[in-house]
Amino acid sequence: MVSGGKFLQAVHFKGVIMTFFFQSLLSGLLTGGVYALAGIGMSVVFGVMNISNFAHGDLMMLGMYMAYFAFTLLHIDPYLSLLLIIPTAFLFGFLIEKVFIHRIIHHPHQNQILLTIGLGLIMSNTALLAFTSDPKILTTSYSSSAVTIFGGISLSVPLLLSFVITCLITGILFLFLSKTTTGLALWATSQNREAAQLMGINVSKMSAIAFGLGTALAATAGALIAPTYYIHPMAGHTFLLKAFTICVLGGLGSVVGAGVGGVIIGVVESMSSTYLSSDWKDVVVFIIFLGVLLFRPQGLFGKKGEQ
Amino acid sequence: MKKMLVSIATAALIALPLLTNAAPVKIGFINSITGKEAQIGENLTNGAAMAVEDLKAKGIQVDLIKEDDGGDPKNALAAYEKLVTRDAVIGVVGPYTSGSANVVASRADQYQVPLLVPAAAKEDITMKGYKNVFRLNAPANIYSSVLMKAVAAYKPKTIAYVYAATDFGVSTVKTAQENALKMGLKEVANEKYQQGQPDYRPSLSKVKAANPDLVFLVSYDADAILLMRQAKEIGLTPKAFLGAGAGYTTAQFAQQTEISNLVVSATQWTDDVNWSGAADFARRYKLKYSKEPSYHAACSYEAVRIMVETASKNNTSAKLRAGLKAGSWNGILGPVKFADYDGFTNQNNHPMLVQQIISGKYETVFPAQFSKKKLVYPFTR
Amino acid sequence: MKQIAIIAVIAGIAAVLPLVIGESPYFTGVLISVLMMAALASAWNILGGYAGQYSFGHAAYFGAGAYTTMILISKFNLNPILSMVAGIVVACIIALVTGSIVFRLRGHYFGLASIAVAEIVRLSALNFDFTGGAQGILLTDVSLWGVDLNSKTPFYYGMLLVLVVTLGIALSLRTSKTGYYLQAIREDQDAAASLGINLAFYKNKALLISAALTSVLGSLYAVYIRFIDTSAVLDLRLSIEIILTAIIGGVGTVWGPVLGAVLLVPLAEMLRSNVIGDALVKQGMVSETSGLGVFLKENLAHAHVLVYGIITVLCILYLPKGILGLLGRKK
């Protein structure tokens, strides 16, 4: 026979456990939304150009600074500034491809990787010289506001907004790739570069567009996380390995896969900090990464034989 | 002939006591200008630059040779060896990070060139009995002990730790746990995290569920702001947030009034402390760099000043070491004396301060003899 | 035969170099870094250059050697040489586990998987207590058979010895059966497999040799500096630096990685210590108070990693086969 007090305690305890679980699940889901966008950008570049872009984190960092300066100098809300950031970043990526990456597109993988590492070093250290190493904090009126649902689970307002925007952008991107001529050409290039070329697709232009898209997506991810994170020349490095993991998890080149992959990584991180320990969560993510590589190298959403 | 004249002239210059300052004092300065600690490194650079200016105004010419270690002990060692063997400096100030400071300190007796550590916290550095290693700042264990002394009167019962998985984070929490044990505080949560993550909510939720009286935090830079934002978001309200130095002592953190109000932190220095010249230093620093000085800037200013002033009267490393050992100073960091106590050698027994953020401004609240304001306890939103 | 003679001559010159330059701890220190990076890049080259398996996680083996040695010396006061041998064993175990995972993968996947394994090793060292965690391991005194290990000389010759051994192995591999098989694997894995070459065996063999040599260098480094933590010996940056050295020098050749180290390490040190800026100012070519002077003295010191990045990009764009490739073309 359970006494009344103990029973109430047990109910309360169960309630705490449930709140705990959902709090962890939802905050992981929302953080995962931003990871997803970074992963999708990486995946587009990977798919079309077959390049591991190690400068992806640094491109994200540039997005953060763009959002910061749009907010502090032009007084534009970070979410609104995306309208400015997306085209600027696209152009920047397009030019980077034309000037640098284009020249080594037929070189071995490792040279491509090292080139992107070099470009990343140039970007982050130029930022260090220009903006100093003082982290910038983008404080909006809603930076630390939250809504409470189900009487105990709090959700960050800026992360919720970011999540909605991520879904929107992913949707638009999906439509672009599946419905427009350029999108279909990009998709064809990612399926088979040589065949696409034979069919009259300008594959070198497609590469530049893909890198522009990847850059725009990375910068968007940076801008979206800026209000809830801090902005620093090396800030992108945290997200680089996550973006790789997401992109492999979803299947190289798969937009939807990377989207889902991002959310999964967000939730896994959150759950492992809650139920395991926060200092081991990255290890859990890497073990999942290796597991996917070994047992399903085409990724969760890739077709067999696409590797 | 010309050569002879020159040497006579030089000899005359050296002989003239009034003009001994004409030859600049050559001192090395190892710092983390790049790398992970570059932000704090910049504060140290600024503090050192102001010291050089002030010394010049006093008629002491300084040749401060700056070396970057990027936070890497291997580079710090190369920098120290370059300074002492190639540049022939007679004393070195630095390095900033504890790892680098430990590696360089272990070589200082080999080269017999004094090293003055301005702001590295690890206890080891001055606990190995090195004759040539001096430290200005208080070591890691003081961060926690001074904070706990400040709140002891309010009889808190439970404590939770949230800290970065760094050397400073781990060492500080280790000493905090020892101090907590002495005070009879019960540990209810212990969350170590990897720096730079965007989401600390799961860790903070666990702390919230444990409902501690005190939350003891160690974070660098902007991680502090992130953690406190998310703590507000999930509604974590202990009786006090205790921040051990670093990220909780920056002007940037204080300016985030929505999340920083009433947060208590330990620091080596504040601008409202009644140490001579502290307020003036803060005012001039703000004018020059258009931002508030951190305690790192104050420590590096004072370290360079003490090193150069002592070196200007003692022109060899051996004399400089004796000068540092024997001397005592009074400046923006209060009274300074390098003493041997409690297993330390050449350690300045620096009293740390406890400050509390009240509407965006740091106010010194403990110990009573250095403060004008009283601690606000418990914490409220 | 000619190559062996070259190794002997260079080793001979290197062996007497400390006697010529005399007592200069700073230069000796830089030379130790050059020898270490040359040996690291050469060891990496056995796997990356000969077998074409681009590992981005060699820091794991370096760290395995460094950590094992430091733990055994600091906790059990074990002889440094024995600790080094133990380090080799640990590195080889990690290599076998890594190999069994990553060698099933190709191309991008291989590189990414090697990073993941190295990151797991790094995070484990950071989170466990027996590794010293975030605090790292500090040694105050080490001695070996009464030899004073505070001096740099033993480490200079130690690094030189490992480099010579590595080059010897690299050279003998080139003309051995294993070497030919590795090259076949590099050129076309499927063709190599259809010829009956046991891919897994030869890839693992190359990895084990490479990992063992890398771990010895890690052990030497740890005892030399007497302090290690994860950012010094297990960081991704170290893995990347090793590859850059090999590729900029000339990947897949015996001398490329050595050349890369001889050029890049002193360059990085010159940039770090800002000797170029200082020299220009000291020579009076640029006034200290002029805008350029201030930039050279103050800002260039902040920019050395930037310069390193620019050099990397230029090398990859204009010298894709490395400096040795350029020299080879001119001949």
Side-chain angles (χ1 to χ4, degrees):
Chain A
M1 190 73 197
V2 185
S3 74
K6 266 199 181 150
F7 176 72
L8 274 180
Q9 236 174 15
V11 169
H12 175 69
F13 190 59
K14 208 173 168 189
V16 168
I17 288 182
M18 288 314 279
T19 319
F20 233 60
F21 177 80
F22 283 109
Q23 174 76 60
S24 175
L25 182 74
L26 288 173
S27 75
L29 199 79
L30 294 186
T31 313
V34 183
Y35 292 174
L37 216 48
I40 294 170
M42 179 80 97
S43 208
V44 169
V45 172
F46 228 136
V48 176
M49 305 171 70
N50 199 22
I51 279 181
S52 312
N53 179 16
F54 275 71
H56 201 71
D58 299 300
L59 294 169
M60 219 175 137
M61 174 272 298
L62 293 182
M64 295 182 194
Y65 274 105
M66 283 194 243
Y68 176 77
F69 286 115
F71 182 72
T72 50
L73 301 179
L74 309 173
H75 307 290
I76 303 176
D77 183 89
Y79 297 111
L80 212 60
S81 71
L82 284 178
L83 297 174
L84 215 83
I85 293 171
I86 292 173
T88 317
F90 177 84
L91 204 67
F92 182 70
F94 192 90
L95 288 176
I96 294 258
E97 204 282 341
K98 281 285 174 210
V99 178
F100 298 103
I101 298 172
H102 165 74
R103 310 164 71 124
I104 53 143
I105 201 99
H106 298 295
H107 285 200
H109 286 325
Q110 60 279 1
N111 284 28
Q112 298 169 343
I113 290 177
L114 291 173
L115 180 75
T116 58
I117 288 174
L119 290 173
L121 281 178
I122 293 175
M123 284 184 235
S124 56
N125 285 282
T126 308
L128 189 67
L129 276 183
F131 312 132
T132 77
S133 53
D134 276 346
K136 307 267 189 279
I137 302 284
L138 206 169
T139 310
T140 55
S141 53
Y142 47 81
S143 270
S144 46
S145 59
V147 287
T148 310
I149 54 165
F150 307 130
I153 300 164
S154 66
L155 297 177
S156 153
V157 170
L159 272 187
L160 262 175
L161 278 171
S162 299
F163 193 80
V164 173
I165 296 173
T166 299
C167 293
L168 214 68
I169 289 176
T170 315
I172 295 172
L173 187 70
F174 188 73
L175 287 178
F176 168 74
L177 290 176
S178 54
K179 301 282 183 228
T180 64
T181 324
T182 316
L184 287 168
L186 275 173
W187 186 80
T189 313
S190 78
Q191 292 304 300
N192 191 329
R193 207 179 167 87
E194 283 72 34
Q197 193 155 22
L198 288 176
M199 280 161 58
I201 294 173
N202 183 348
V203 291
S204 87
K205 191 173 150 201
M206 287 307 129
S207 291
I209 291 177
F211 205 79
L213 267 181
T215 306
L217 286 162
T220 307
L224 284 181
I225 205 158
T228 54
Y229 195 62
Y230 48 82
I231 300 142
H232 183 265
M234 310 295 159
H237 295 187
T238 310
F239 300 95
L240 176 67
L241 291 181
K242 289 196 211 295
F244 275 127
T245 310
I246 290 162
C247 161
V248 168
L249 193 64
L252 295 185
S254 162
V255 170
V256 178
V260 177
V263 174
I264 292 177
I265 294 298
V267 172
V268 166
E269 280 191 355
S270 188
M271 288 292 175
S272 34
S273 343
T274 308
Y275 295 104
L276 192 63
S277 117
S278 54
D279 47 353
W280 286 99
K281 71 174 185 189
D282 286 339
V283 175
V284 175
V285 171
F286 285 123
I287 289 173
I288 291 179
F289 175 74
L290 287 176
V292 170
L293 279 181
L294 283 180
F295 301 113
R296 207 179 150 78
Q298 73 275 27
L300 298 177
F301 287 78
K303 289 184 208 81
K304 248 208 148 68
E306 245 179 41
Q307 42 169 323
Chain B
M1 190 61 207
K2 198 177 163 192
K3 227 179 196 172
M4 215 171 104
L5 277 177
V6 171
S7 46
I8 289 171
T10 320
L13 278 179
I14 290 168
L16 278 171
L18 275 174
L19 293 174
T20 43
N21 292 338
V25 179
K26 224 174 180 186
I27 295 295
F29 182 54
I30 308 173
N31 185 12
S32 299
I33 301 174
T34 59
K36 281 183 194 150
E37 314 299 343
Q39 189 213 354
I40 293 173
E42 197 206 321
N43 291 311
L44 291 158
T45 307
N46 293 348
M50 269 185 66
V52 171
E53 261 178 31
D54 287 4
L55 288 160
K56 275 192 183 147
K58 276 196 218 167
I60 302 175
Q61 294 301 312
V62 192
D63 186 5
L64 191 72
I65 303 174
K66 290 179 212 151
E67 292 279 329
D68 177 24
D69 70 0
D72 182 346
K74 177 172 58 126
N75 287 341
L77 181 60
Y80 179 76
E81 284 171 344
K82 173 177 171 281
L83 287 169
V84 300
T85 62
R86 300 262 306 146
D87 299 324
V89 300
I90 59 168
V92 175
V93 175
Y96 166 60
T97 61
S98 286
S100 292
N102 252 325
V103 167
V104 174
S106 73
R107 264 67 169 195
D109 278 358
Q110 194 182 332
Y111 293 102
Q112 299 281 327
V113 173
L115 179 76
L116 176 51
V117 178
K122 186 96 178 208
E123 286 95 335
D124 297 22
I125 300 168
T126 44
M127 290 194 94
K128 308 270 187 198
Y130 303 132
K131 286 192 185 67
N132 286 283
V133 179
F134 299 80
R135 175 162 52 187
L136 183 62
N137 62 299
N141 58 331
I142 310 296
Y143 284 81
S144 56
S145 66
V146 74
L147 277 171
M148 294 200 183
K149 274 183 205 152
V151 294
Y154 305 94
K155 308 237 178 319
K157 292 195 176 57
T158 50
I159 186 165
Y161 301 99
V162 181
Y163 56 107
T166 60
D167 189 357
F168 181 57
V170 175
S171 343
T172 310
V173 166
K174 231 177 228 171
T175 64
Q177 284 171 318
E178 287 162 20
N179 288 318
L181 203 66
K182 279 185 220 151
M183 280 173 64
L185 279 166
K186 193 178 154 216
E187 177 176 327
V188 290
N190 186 320
E191 290 291 313
K192 186 168 74 179
Y193 67 83
Q194 303 293 335
Q195 274 183 282
Q197 298 295 328
D199 186 13
Y200 298 117
R201 293 172 192 88
S203 297
L204 293 168
S205 302
K206 274 201 247 179
V207 172
K208 188 189 169 191
N211 193 25
D213 287 344
L214 304 175
V215 174
F216 188 92
L217 305 140
V218 192
S219 320
Y220 282 96
D221 305 352
D223 269 341
I225 295 174
L226 227 61
L227 268 164
M228 291 305 293
R229 267 188 188 168
Q230 296 177 6
K232 176 172 182 269
E233 217 181 278
I234 64 157
L236 172 63
T237 38
K239 294 209 172 93
F241 281 109
L242 306 178
Y248 297 93
T249 58
T250 64
Q252 207 173 18
F253 179 69
Q255 279 155 18
Q256 306 283 321
T257 46
E258 209 185 343
I259 52 161
S260 68
N261 205 31
L262 298 186
V263 171
V264 181
S265 54
T267 181
Q268 307 271 354
W269 179 85
T270 57
D271 59 4
D272 68 337
V273 67
N274 52 16
W275 291 333
S276 100
D280 182 54
F281 170 76
R283 187 185 54 76
R284 288 186 297 132
Y285 189 97
K286 264 183 266 181
L287 213 64
K288 193 164 155 81
Y289 299 107
S290 45
K291 60 178 179 186
E292 308 267 340
S294 70
Y295 69 76
H296 305 98
C299 287
S300 120
Y301 173 90
E302 193 64 348
V304 170
R305 182 185 76 90
I306 289 174
M307 182 60 106
V308 172
E309 277 186 4
T310 315
S312 70
K313 292 175 211 131
N314 301 280
N315 58 1
T316 66
S317 288
K319 282 195 223 159
L320 174 60
R321 184 183 63 233
L324 286 171
K325 184 85 196 170
S328 65
W329 299 263
N330 205 343
I332 63 166
L333 231 56
V336 173
K337 174 112 189 78
F338 300 107
D340 303 345
Y341 64 95
D342 294 350
F344 288 109
T345 309
N346 301 338
Q347 169 69 49
N348 177 28
N349 195 351
H350 181 64
M352 282 194 71
L353 306 170
V354 172
Q355 55 185 1
Q356 188 167 33
I357 299 164
I358 293 162
S359 346
K361 205 178 163 342
Y362 285 107
E363 304 285 358
T364 312
V365 292
F366 187 84
Q369 70 263 37
F370 302 121
S371 54
K372 293 170 200 141
K373 296 264 164 72
K374 242 182 90 86
L375 180 76
V376 180
Y377 188 98
F379 172 85
T380 47
R381 288 259 178 226
Chain C
M1 222 51 274
K2 201 180 117 201
Q3 299 270 1
I4 295 174
I6 296 175
I7 294 184
V9 169
I10 291 181
I13 294 170
V16 294
L17 201 57
L19 306 174
V20 179
I21 61 169
E23 184 66 27
S24 170
Y26 174 59
F27 278 129
T28 314
V30 175
L31 286 176
I32 290 175
S33 297
V34 172
L35 292 173
M36 182 175 91
M37 194 40 79
L40 280 173
S42 301
W44 176 88
N45 194 39
I46 290 173
L47 179 69
Y50 291 3
Q53 306 297 309
Y54 281 79
S55 156
F56 277 79
H58 256 49
Y61 312 117
F62 188 81
Y67 267 99
T68 310
T69 305
M70 289 293 267
I71 291 169
L72 291 175
I73 295 176
S74 66
K75 295 226 164 98
F76 306 101
N77 206 8
L78 199 72
N79 173 305
I81 298 285
L82 287 178
S83 315
M84 188 182 283
V85 174
I88 297 177
V89 174
V90 173
C92 285
I93 293 170
I94 294 177
L96 282 174
V97 175
T98 313
S100 67
I101 301 171
V102 299
F103 284 142
R104 300 189 195 181
L105 305 162
R106 293 184 184 180
H108 292 300
Y109 291 106
F110 176 81
L112 293 177
S114 64
I115 292 179
V117 173
E119 281 294 288
I120 291 174
V121 174
R122 180 182 72 86
L123 290 164
S124 304
L126 192 61
N127 290 337
F128 281 124
D129 278 336
F130 72 93
T131 53
Q135 297 181 296
I137 303 173
L138 177 73
L139 273 184
T140 24
D141 258 316
V142 204
S143 68
L144 176 68
W145 303 316
V147 176
D148 173 20
L149 292 187
N150 279 328
S151 149
K152 288 196 148 59
T153 321
F155 296 99
Y156 178 85
Y157 289 106
M159 294 286 183
L160 182 63
L161 182 67
V162 183
L163 176 62
V164 169
V165 169
T166 310
L167 289 175
I169 293 174
L171 209 57
S172 69
L173 269 181
R174 278 219 317 195
T175 49
S176 72
K177 189 181 78 180
T178 304
Y180 288 128
Y181 286 178
L182 290 179
Q183 280 171 40
I185 292 171
R186 179 181 70 194
E187 298 309 327
D188 190 338
Q189 293 206 29
D190 298 320
S194 65
L195 285 175
I197 297 173
N198 183 341
L199 295 184
F201 176 80
Y202 285 101
K203 283 182 189 175
N204 275 309
K205 188 172 173 183
L207 174 62
L208 282 176
I209 296 171
S210 182
L213 291 167
T214 306
S215 112
V216 171
L217 291 160
S219 303
L220 273 174
Y221 169 88
V223 181
Y224 166 52
I225 298 287
R226 299 205 299 264
F227 172 77
I228 54 166
D229 63 5
T230 53
S231 72
V233 298
L234 281 170
D235 209 273
L236 179 59
R237 274 176 314 171
L238 176 66
S239 303
I240 289 174
E241 206 182 324
I242 296 172
I243 308 172
L244 271 179
T245 309
I247 291 193
I248 289 176
V251 78
T253 62
V254 174
W255 294 103
V258 179
L259 188 65
V262 168
L263 293 173
L264 286 182
V265 175
L267 178 75
E269 174 58 23
M270 276 157 76
L271 289 169
R272 185 203 65 74
S273 61
N274 202 10
V275 285
I276 304 164
D278 282 350
L280 285 177
V281 173
K282 285 233 170 78
Q283 292 300 308
M285 288 165 78
V286 182
S287 152
E288 196 169 340
T289 46
S290 71
L292 184 62
V294 171
F295 174 80
L296 285 176
K297 272 199 91 110
E298 302 296 330
N299 294 51
L300 201 63
H302 299 234
H304 57 92
V305 191
L306 175 63
V307 177
Y308 202 79
I310 294 173
I311 290 170
T312 307
V313 168
L314 292 178
C315 279
I316 299 289
L317 287 180
Y318 296 105
L319 305 169
K321 287 191 159 57
I323 296 164
L324 213 62
L326 179 79
L327 296 178
R329 203 163 55 207
K330 277 198 175 150
K331 261 178 205 166

